[in-house]
Amino acid sequence: MARFYFSGRRSHEVAAWRRRLTWWAEAAVLKSLIGLLRVLPLKAGLAIGATLGDALGRLSPRVDKVRRNLQVVFPDARGEKLERITRASFANVGVAMVELANLDRLWRERDARIEFNVMSGANVPNRERPTIFVTAHFGPWQLTPLIGRYYDVPLPVIYAPEQNPYVDRALNRLRAVFANPLVSRDGGMRMFMRSLARGESIGMTVDTRLDSGEAVPFFGHPAMTNTAPARLALRFDCDLVPVLAERLPGGRFRVNIHPPVTPDRPATTRDEKVLDMSRQINALFEAAIVRHPGQWLCLKRRWPKTVHRQYA
């Protein structure tokens, strides 16, 4: 069950009127912060976001989960080193919030601020061939859906609604700059299948644990992974393309469009192809996280408890 942002208390544990009042207060604080971040110079806003993220991370009820996830990723990191990476991860949350608050500004200034990079072996996004774009909660990930608008490709994007409905509406107003539909993960798969059947592309974020997924290696351990992108790509004969964004100096960004993921051994069964393609996506995420340890955001347990106990 979802918790309140600031107290850590579960929302279902309080009376309905108190829950609504708390939601309203949380949304009021968030909207005030967004308003401030939108009027500041971008460089100053990003610096403030990092400081706030670091400070709030120390008070977050999720800090232990983030630390335990990072311990699996960096098993040799202990004590102060692990704490630095954990703090950087929460600072990344603050920076990501500033980026979300300023998405419309970044889009207006895209010629100076955003580089859309079609990597070697990749295809320029287009309307001719439907594509499943996948990304991770890594770096400035909230810029990745802008590829739909930039390349004029219809691109519904699945997202996880906030438990607080007032916060959810506020954040979705910021995401309106995508100029494409936002699809709630609750029932979103049906809409995605209809989009693919019409020859349209879709976008998904697939680095977090999905209990209904399949075990796929991630940093050397089986992790319940969303394999739907690979299954849909095979079913609808469309490309499966990772997209990862990175931060550059001076408040600039690069959105990297990778080559399509294909099975290493085409002659295997469909299930084997799905697992192989999902493994390749996880491996790509691994490489990005190792390069920039503090830029991965994973606020809930990523691996089975048995794996985490190995690092306790």
Side-chain angles (χ1 to χ4, degrees):
M1 296 293 291
R3 298 176 183 268
F4 292 121
Y5 297 119
F6 304 130
S7 70
R9 191 174 181 183
R10 296 183 186 276
S11 58
H12 74 285
E13 295 174 347
V14 302
W17 69 268
R18 190 182 296 274
R19 181 165 57 247
R20 287 194 296 271
L21 181 61
T22 304
W23 279 344
W24 182 87
E26 289 177 338
V29 171
L30 180 67
K31 289 177 182 178
S32 298
L33 179 60
I34 289 173
L36 172 63
L37 296 175
R38 287 172 61 84
V39 299
L40 289 172
L42 185 61
K43 185 177 180 180
L46 293 170
I48 290 173
T51 301
L52 284 176
D54 181 15
L56 293 175
R58 303 185 195 196
L59 305 175
S60 172
R62 300 184 180 184
V63 65
D64 287 336
K65 291 183 179 180
V66 171
R67 187 182 294 114
R68 286 194 292 267
N69 284 332
L70 291 170
Q71 183 68 80
V72 177
V73 176
F74 304 103
D76 295 330
R78 299 283 178 175
E80 185 179 342
K81 182 177 180 180
L82 179 62
E83 195 60 28
R84 283 200 307 269
I85 301 174
T86 303
R87 290 179 59 183
S89 183
F90 277 100
N92 176 65
V93 177
V95 172
M97 187 66 224
V98 177
E99 292 161 351
L100 176 60
N102 287 279
L103 273 179
D104 57 346
R105 182 199 301 191
L106 295 176
W107 175 252
R108 288 195 306 271
E109 301 173 2
R110 60 190 177 277
D111 290 343
R113 293 201 179 272
I114 307 177
E115 174 189 346
F116 292 90
N117 177 38
V118 180
M119 302 179 71
S120 177
N123 302 314
V124 175
N126 61 79
R127 292 172 176 256
E128 300 302 317
R129 180 166 174 77
T131 300
I132 300 172
F133 295 100
V134 293
T135 193
H137 295 91
F138 175 81
W141 82 91
Q142 294 171 110
L143 273 68
T144 58
L146 289 173
I147 62 172
R149 187 171 184 180
Y150 185 79
Y151 291 104
D152 191 28
V153 174
L155 185 63
V157 175
I158 199 166
Y159 83 105
E162 298 292 326
Q163 177 73 12
N164 183 326
Y166 309 120
V167 169
D168 191 58
R169 286 197 290 270
L171 297 183
N172 282 345
R173 281 195 290 271
L174 299 174
R175 296 176 180 125
V177 70
F178 298 152
N180 273 301
L182 292 171
V183 182
S184 169
R185 67 181 177 188
D186 303 320
M189 196 55 61
R190 289 191 295 273
M191 179 177 176
F192 274 2
M193 292 177 69
R194 290 195 294 268
S195 295
L196 291 170
R198 292 194 298 266
E200 298 175 354
S201 297
I202 62 174
M204 305 174 70
T205 308
V206 295
D207 59 310
T208 54
R209 187 184 83 242
L210 182 68
D211 291 333
S212 60
E214 298 177 80
V216 179
F218 191 45
F219 284 100
H221 298 283
M224 298 305 288
T225 298
N226 187 349
T227 58
R231 290 195 178 278
L232 291 173
L234 293 172
R235 176 175 176 177
F236 290 94
D237 187 28
C238 55
D239 289 338
L240 176 58
V241 174
V243 181
L244 290 174
E246 59 181 310
R247 298 184 179 109
L248 304 175
R252 295 166 47 247
F253 307 88
R254 179 181 294 126
V255 179
N256 294 305
I257 301 167
H258 289 255
V261 173
T262 58
D264 280 343
R265 294 179 296 168
T268 57
T269 67
R270 174 167 292 198
D271 285 347
E272 289 171 330
K273 291 177 183 178
V274 166
L275 292 176
D276 176 50
M277 294 166 72
S278 301
R279 177 194 57 77
Q280 292 182 56
I281 293 171
N282 277 359
L284 183 67
F285 294 164
E286 288 177 13
I289 294 167
V290 169
R291 283 197 303 271
H292 301 285
Q295 293 194 26
W296 182 45
L297 170 64
C298 190
L299 297 176
K300 68 176 185 177
R301 177 173 53 83
R302 182 65 184 92
W303 288 269
K305 293 179 181 179
T306 53
V307 172
H308 286 283
R309 280 198 288 267
Q310 298 176 29
Y311 298 89

